[in-house]
């Protein structure tokens, strides 16, 4: 009778092994898959270019037809005007401080493909105030602006392109009548 008492224990061991074995296999697969994903992620993240590499890439681009056209535009009166207007607000952009602006137009120049935006005047100079996609819900409050509205804006960047006769101010913050009407949401997963 003593031999029969151990049979359930042996069967229990077999059941336990049968349950644990698939867990070990599945765990191994999950860990292996995670390592493969980590290796892929590590491989896909490009290393930042060194200053010398960036300079070499710029030189190479400047030799292309697009680069030559861009350099010609920079040296033209139109390009110099855009760079001069950018220089007038560079201090505010670098420090991310308030700039007083007046809305001069509720539409962008003909042929613009910047999305929703408008024209503003800051210290007597006209700028394109570019926001982003036309249908973005985040921008709905900005549709309430009218010509001659006085606003306070903040921006981290100014862009320029040969296609446009104005510097393009990409805004992060707009305030009208002491009320914030737009504040760019921080990027997810980034700085």
């Amino acid at each position: 009778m003593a031999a029969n008492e151990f049979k359930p224990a042996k069967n229990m061991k077999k059941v336990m092994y049968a349950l644990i074995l698939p867990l070990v296999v599945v765990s191994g697969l999950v860990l292996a898959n995670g390592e493969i994903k980590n290796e892929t992620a590590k491989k896909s993240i490009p290393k930042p270019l060194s200053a010398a590499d960036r300079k070499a890439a710029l030189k190479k681009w400047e030799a292309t037809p697009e680069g030559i056209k861009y350099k010609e535009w920079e040296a033209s009166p139109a390009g110099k005007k855009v760079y001069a207007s950018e220089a007038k607000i560079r201090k505010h952009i670098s420090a991310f401080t308030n700039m007083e602006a007046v809305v001069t137009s509720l539409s962008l120049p003909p042929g613009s493909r910047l999305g929703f935006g408008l024209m503003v005047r800051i210290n007597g100079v006209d700028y394109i105030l570019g926001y982003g996609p036309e249908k973005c819900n985040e921008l709905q409050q900005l549709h309430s602006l009218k010509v001659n509205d006085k606003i306070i804006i903040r921006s981290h960047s100014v862009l320029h392109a040969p296609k446009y006769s104005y510097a393009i101010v990409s805004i992060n913050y707009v305030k009208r009548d002491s009320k914030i009407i737009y504040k760019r949401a921080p990027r997810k997963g980034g700085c």
Side-chain angles (χ1 to χ4, degrees), residues 47-60 62:
K47 292 181 181 178
L49 294 175
S50 69
D53 290 340
R54 282 193 307 271
K55 191 173 181 178
L58 178 61
K59 285 287 186 197
K60 186 176 177 181
E62 287 174 346

Side-chain angles (χ1 to χ4, degrees), residues 102-110 112 115-121 127-131 134 141-151 176 181:
V102 175
V103 177
T104 58
S105 174
L106 300 176
S107 61
L108 296 174
S112 295
F116 175 69
L118 43 96
M119 298 295 297
V120 296
R121 184 166 291 135
Y127 297 89
I128 293 174
L129 198 57
Y131 300 110
E134 186 73 40
Q141 292 288 347
L142 298 174
H143 288 282
S144 67
L145 291 173
K146 295 177 179 63
V147 172
N148 294 324
D149 275 356
K150 292 179 181 175
I151 57 176
R176 178 185 59 195
I181 60 171

Side-chain angles (χ1 to χ4, degrees), residues 53-130:
D53 290 340
R54 282 193 307 271
K55 191 173 181 178
L58 178 61
K59 285 287 186 197
K60 186 176 177 181
W61 176 79
E62 287 174 346
T64 67
E66 293 83 16
I68 292 168
K69 283 182 188 176
Y70 188 81
K71 294 302 277 179
E72 289 171 353
W73 173 79
E74 281 184 318
S76 74
K80 288 179 181 177
K81 176 186 167 239
V82 170
Y83 276 101
S85 66
E86 179 183 342
K88 290 183 178 185
I89 61 171
R90 176 61 50 205
K91 179 177 68 171
H92 292 288
I93 299 298
S94 298
F96 195 62
T97 57
N98 291 347
M99 294 181 277
E100 293 180 14
V102 175
V103 177
T104 58
S105 174
L106 300 176
S107 61
L108 296 174
S112 295
R113 290 187 277 161
L114 297 172
F116 175 69
L118 43 96
M119 298 295 297
V120 296
R121 184 166 291 135
I122 302 170
N123 294 331
V125 179
D126 290 327
Y127 297 89
I128 293 174
L129 198 57

